Amino acid sequence: MSRLSDLFEAAHDPRAPLLHVAFDTGDHGQPGPVVVMIHGIASSAATFVFVRPLVEPGHRVIAIELLGFGGSPAPENAEYTLEEHVAAIARTIRELELDRPFVLVGHSLGTLIAARYAATHGDRVSKLVLVSPPVYLSPDEIGDPRVRGAVGGYLQAYRFFRANKDFTIAHAAVVSKLLPVKHVMEITEQNWTAFVKSLEHCIESQTVISDLARVESPIEVVYGRFDEFLVPGNLAIIERMRGVTTHVVNASDHMIRKPMARVVAAAIGA
């Protein structure tokens, strides 16, 4: 069986967990396409608190919480690979019985999962919106020494976070208190396994470039100029790809705050 066939079959695994739909609101008359939102690592549907009210008029808006995060299950045997995340998202979307293609929005880790879903379920996605995508190629694949050094630094930091549980949980708790939205970043004993395995298996080792190369629908990329997880040299690869439109939000970071929410809503078509 080919690698692509393997990915397709994994994404249709009937044994995949059914995820928590945090909200399903807006205009169910659907004058505009349905919008499905997927948050990032160590987060929840709270990621989209500023986007949701901008999109609800004229759209049915659905937020799905990732495997191991928010209100979704955390199976004991889960490895939190990209294939497992996509299979769970795919099953949950099938259960929603959407009758036409929808706009798929991903933030951070959610962009990597959304890209793979769109690559393997092309007929379901009318538009792909990637917000703050953490694009990291393997350092061995990067020719520019500055970009290679930046990626190496991020990967080293992520390995440190995974190896130092108490520090990481305590640091996240401090940062979380400073953010304007509750539950937008939470690393706890309860989601620790989901966090470290998703970090290792999806973010540190990723296939987003090859996944996006297979996406036929339009791709909108939104990111903040001061995104602390951004490697411009890597993101530039996506910006040059066919069908990609990029929106840079000045004075914004990785989180979707109000200024970025307006750009994301416009990218969705609200």
Side-chain angles (χ1 to χ4, degrees), residues 9 31 49 51 78 111 142 145 174 179 196 233 268:
E9 290 302 321
V49 65
V51 179
T111 66
I142 302 172
V174 172
L179 297 176
V196 295
I268 290 169

Side-chain angles (χ1 to χ4, degrees), residues 22-23 39 43-50 65 181-184 255:
F23 58 80
H39 64 81
S43 191
S44 69
T47 293
F48 301 106
V49 65
F50 297 127
E65 295 188 316
V181 179
K182 291 183 179 180
H183 310 301
V184 77
M255 181 180 172

